[in-house]
């Protein structure tokens, strides 16, 4: 995501020290650039115009003046659920990983939700085109674009593929000793085939998301399985349920397909072993994902049910997250006990030895991933509750229009008299041409300001830099993310100038919303 410079005017060392000591900006020159809003409803102001803080502090005390600001365009919150890949033992096992915490305004990713599968064992301003999709973040080796969604294989996948090849090869040596070293080629084929079925699971989530008009950023196959990065939340509990259920459903169907194919071959042959392993793996993936706790798909289904009953998505998230935490504790304690009791179809073993250590380590990793994912789900939901408070109209700075050749000192004087905090360069007809950058004002010494025209300090307006005053929440963040800049022109639906929106102000408000309790 591109960054522009800071904002404000230069200050003397004494003034800057006073401001840092008192926490209040020095009254004087305005901080930014824009035109005065034509409507009766004015952009928010923090009192008398203050000198901008530039890179050293907030340019004006906005809605989040107690939070650290930044210069990047904020990205909407994200959530990711992953499915960890335990080392395959006898039958391949499944695990599920965590939701990532919401992306802060300094992250580029916009991921509202990601459905994953474990391996075995906007709106915009009135003018301008729709926001362009940001550059794809990558994430490994690009394998293709089914349904227009890029699929990446992360470098960590090669580690788990090697692990599956080694472990499954050892099992083949007991079942088909005549294969010799060729068993590792068969094992590698199994690893690739299994991850192909993981991809099918993720594509099920992707197709459902696209059907509901939810953008999907990418699919990534990695050490912990697969991740479908869906950029928005569903609007209804019914869609949430369907979106979560289609993944396990496809895994169940794949298990059934492999079972039917198994009936056509000899059990003790290479095809029989491969088909049997793929059948068991997909059934375990489906069963584990259906467990009713976040961040698993079953947890999202439980969330949808509670959401439907209570009418409150947050209530569904809280219920599913706490069930997920209980599930994490159950995995931590129960998985090693089940393994050594023989309940999973293996021979009962005495407690002790390397196998016990590996089982305990696997259980601890799975439990930590599920517990963390459940907590992150709560944080994402809490942030989404507060996102509607991010309103362009409330965050916009008052502005004054100035013509191209107006000296900077005169422009600042007009803004100061009007109580404005921004400058918009307009033509003779009053149409906006560009925004004077705060960082550029900072760089001009005070004695030179009468001789510097505002046009030399301005950034030309592009279509993406025009923002509707009615935008709020995720719609606002999506538009800002599509066109990274430090300032945006805020306009009414009629096209009239309302003011200037600073990305730093939005970022501070975003951080403040994350910190506020539900």
């Amino acid at each position: 995501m591109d960054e522009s410079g800071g904002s404000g005017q230069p200050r003397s060392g004494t003034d800057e020290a006073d401001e840092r000591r008192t926490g209040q900006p020095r009254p004087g020159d305005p901080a930014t650039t824009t035109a005065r809003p034509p409507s009766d409803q004015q952009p928010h102001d923090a009192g008398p115009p203050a000198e901008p803080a530039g890179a050293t502090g907030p340019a004006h005390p906005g809605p989040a003046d107690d939070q650290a600001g930044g210069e990047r365009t904020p990205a909407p919150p994200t959530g990711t659920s992953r499915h960890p890949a335990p080392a395959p033992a006898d039958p391949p096992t499944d695990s599920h990983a965590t939701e990532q915490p919401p992306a802060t305004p300094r992250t580029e990713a916009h991921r509202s939700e990601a459905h994953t599968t474990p391996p075995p064992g906007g709106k915009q301003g009135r003018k301008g085109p729709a926001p362009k999709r940001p550059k794809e973040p990558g994430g490994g080796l690009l394998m293709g674009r089914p349904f227009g969604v890029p699929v990446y294989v992360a470098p960590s996948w090669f580690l788990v593929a090697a692990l599956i090849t080694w472990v499954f090869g050892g099992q083949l040596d007991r079942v088909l000793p005549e294969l010799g070293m060729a068993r590792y080629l068969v094992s590698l084929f199994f690893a690739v085939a299994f991850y192909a079925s993981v991809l099918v699971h993720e594509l099920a989530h992707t197709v459902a998301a696209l059907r509901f008009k939810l953008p999907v950023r990418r699919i990534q196959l990695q050490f912990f399985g697969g991740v479908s990065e869906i950029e928005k939340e569903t609007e209804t509990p019914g869609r949430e349920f369907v979106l979560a259920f289609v993944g396990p459903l496809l895994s169940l169907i794949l298990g059934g397909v492999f079972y039917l194919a198994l009936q056509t071959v000899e059990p003790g042959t290479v095809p029989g072993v491969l088909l049997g392993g793929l059948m068991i793996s997909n059934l375990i993936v489906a069963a584990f994902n259906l467990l009713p706790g976040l961040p698993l798909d079953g947890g999202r289904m439980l969330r949808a049910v509670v959401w439907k009953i209570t009418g409150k998505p947050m209530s569904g998230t809280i219920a599913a997250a706490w069930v997920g935490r209980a599930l994490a504790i159950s995995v931590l304690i129960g998985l090693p006990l089940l393994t050594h009791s023989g309940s999973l179809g293996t021979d009962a073993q005495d407690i002790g030895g390397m196998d016990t250590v590996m089982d305990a380590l696997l259980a601890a990793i799975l439990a930590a991933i599920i517990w963390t994912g459940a907590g992150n789900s709560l944080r994402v939901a809490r942030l989404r509750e507060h996102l509607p408070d991010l309103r362009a109209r409330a965050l916009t700075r008052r502005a004054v229009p100035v013509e191209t050749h107006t000296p900077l000192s005169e422009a600042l004087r007009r803004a100061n008299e009007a109580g404005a905090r921004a400058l918009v360069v307009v033509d003779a007809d009053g149409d906006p041409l560009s925004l004077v950058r705060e960082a550029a004002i900072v760089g001009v010494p005070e004695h030179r300001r009468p001789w510097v025209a505002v046009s030399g300090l301005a950034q030309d307006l592009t279509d993406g830099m025009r923002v509707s005053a009615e935008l709020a929440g995720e719609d606002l963040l999506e538009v800002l993310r599509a066109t990274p800049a430090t300032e945006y022109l805020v306009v009414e639906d009629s096209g009239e100038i309302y003011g200037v929106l600073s990305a730093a102000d939005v970022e501070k408000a975003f951080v403040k919303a994350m910190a506020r309790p539900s």
Side-chain angles (χ1 to χ4, degrees):
M1 185 173 297
D2 297 336
E3 288 186 39
S4 309
S7 58
Q9 306 173 40
R11 295 169 293 182
S12 69
T14 302
D15 291 334
E16 185 171 353
D18 289 342
E19 179 175 333
R20 290 177 176 172
R21 183 170 56 254
T22 62
Q24 298 297 326
R26 175 178 65 85
D29 295 328
T32 47
T33 74
T34 66
R36 182 176 250 164
S39 64
D40 293 334
Q41 188 174 9
Q42 299 292 321
H44 85 296
D45 244 349
E51 190 169 336
T56 63
H60 88 119
D65 46 341
D66 57 338
Q67 300 292 333
E71 296 170 5
R72 295 198 185 192
T73 302
T78 81
T80 350
S81 61
R82 300 175 185 163
H83 306 254
D90 296 327
T93 57
D94 168 55
S95 33
H96 204 104
T98 141
E99 276 199 7
Q100 292 180 354
T104 68
R106 294 186 179 277
T107 61
E108 292 182 342
H110 173 41
R111 295 176 289 177
S112 82
E113 169 183 12
H115 291 277
T116 63
T117 314
K123 297 179 183 178
Q124 60 178 7
R126 189 180 67 86
K127 299 181 180 180
K132 296 180 181 180
R133 299 273 297 184
K135 182 180 179 180
E136 291 176 0
L141 179 64
L142 179 63
M143 301 301 294
R145 298 175 182 274
F147 307 103
V149 177
V151 176
Y152 292 93
V153 173
S156 60
W157 177 85
F158 295 96
L159 295 177
V160 74
L163 180 62
I164 293 174
T165 300
W166 175 63
V167 174
F168 195 69
Q171 296 175 354
L172 280 177
D173 191 36
R174 294 194 296 270
V175 179
L176 298 170
E178 65 275 11
L179 287 178
M181 296 304 294
R183 66 182 182 272
Y184 292 109
L185 291 177
V186 177
S187 299
L188 179 60
F189 180 83
F190 170 78
V192 173
F194 176 77
Y195 267 88
S197 64
V198 170
L199 177 60
V200 172
H201 178 114
E202 297 307 325
L203 286 174
H205 290 307
T206 295
V207 171
L210 296 177
R211 175 67 178 81
F212 296 145
K213 302 189 185 304
L214 301 176
V216 181
R217 187 167 181 252
R218 67 177 178 179
I219 296 173
Q220 187 183 50
L221 301 179
Q222 52 184 234
F223 186 89
F224 291 118
V227 179
S228 300
E229 296 178 3
I230 301 171
E231 297 188 358
K232 286 187 178 181
E233 289 279 2
T234 53
E235 298 176 352
T236 66
R239 290 185 174 186
E240 171 81 355
F241 188 93
V242 171
L243 189 59
F245 180 63
V246 290
L249 176 62
L250 257 293
S251 293
L252 285 172
I253 292 174
L254 283 176
V257 170
F258 288 127
Y259 172 77
L260 294 176
L262 184 61
Q263 307 309 306
T264 65
V265 299
E266 291 293 331
T269 61
V270 169
V273 172
L274 287 175
L275 291 172
L278 291 171
M279 177 192 72
I280 293 172
S281 298
N282 279 278
L283 292 178
I284 290 177
V285 166
F288 198 88
N289 275 288
L290 288 173
L291 292 175
L294 287 172
L296 306 174
D297 291 329
R300 299 193 177 279
M301 294 162 62
L302 175 61
R303 174 181 183 265
V305 171
V306 177
W307 177 4
K308 179 66 175 180
I309 294 172
T310 63
K312 299 177 181 179
M314 188 63 182
S315 297
T317 302
I318 292 173
W322 279 105
V323 172
R325 287 173 171 173
L327 178 62
I329 296 174
S330 301
V331 168
L332 179 63
I333 299 173
L335 184 59
L337 295 178
L338 289 174
T339 301
H340 288 279
S341 67
S343 300
L344 297 180
T346 59
D347 295 333
Q349 304 174 22
D350 294 332
I351 302 298
M354 184 57 67
D355 288 341
T356 298
V357 174
M358 294 301 296
D359 290 340
L361 180 60
L362 173 60
I365 292 174
L366 293 182
I369 287 172
I370 295 173
W371 181 281
T372 304
N376 286 339
S377 297
L378 284 174
R379 284 190 287 274
V380 170
R382 181 180 65 191
L383 176 59
R384 289 188 178 282
E385 266 199 327
H386 298 306
L387 270 183
D389 295 340
L390 299 181
R391 293 177 291 115
R393 190 176 294 278
L395 295 171
T396 297
R397 299 177 178 184
R398 188 188 304 270
V400 293
V402 293
E403 294 188 351
T404 303
H405 300 296
T406 304
L408 177 59
S409 59
E410 172 62 15
L412 295 176
R413 185 191 66 78
R414 295 181 193 176
N416 208 34
E417 287 183 353
R421 305 184 60 82
L423 301 171
V424 173
V425 179
V426 298
D427 60 17
D429 298 324
D431 294 327
L433 300 174
S434 56
L435 302 178
V436 179
R437 296 177 294 114
E438 292 184 82
I441 296 176
V442 172
V444 180
E446 192 166 351
H447 68 275
R448 292 192 61 239
R449 292 179 182 179
W451 316 106
V452 176
V454 291
S455 59
L457 308 175
Q459 179 180 6
D460 290 341
L461 283 170
T462 63
D463 290 331
M465 292 173 62
R466 297 175 184 266
V467 175
S468 169
E470 303 303 323
L471 286 177
E474 286 192 54
D475 292 329
L476 173 62
L477 297 180
E478 184 177 352
V479 169
L480 301 192
R481 174 177 167 270
T483 308
T486 52
E487 292 95 13
Y488 299 85
L489 179 67
V490 181
V491 296
E492 297 282 7
D493 289 340
S494 61
E496 295 177 301
I497 297 173
Y498 181 73
V500 165
L501 178 65
S502 168
D505 291 344
V506 180
E507 181 175 342
K508 287 182 286 185
F510 183 93
V511 172
K512 190 173 183 178
M514 287 182 63
R516 189 162 59 238
S518 298

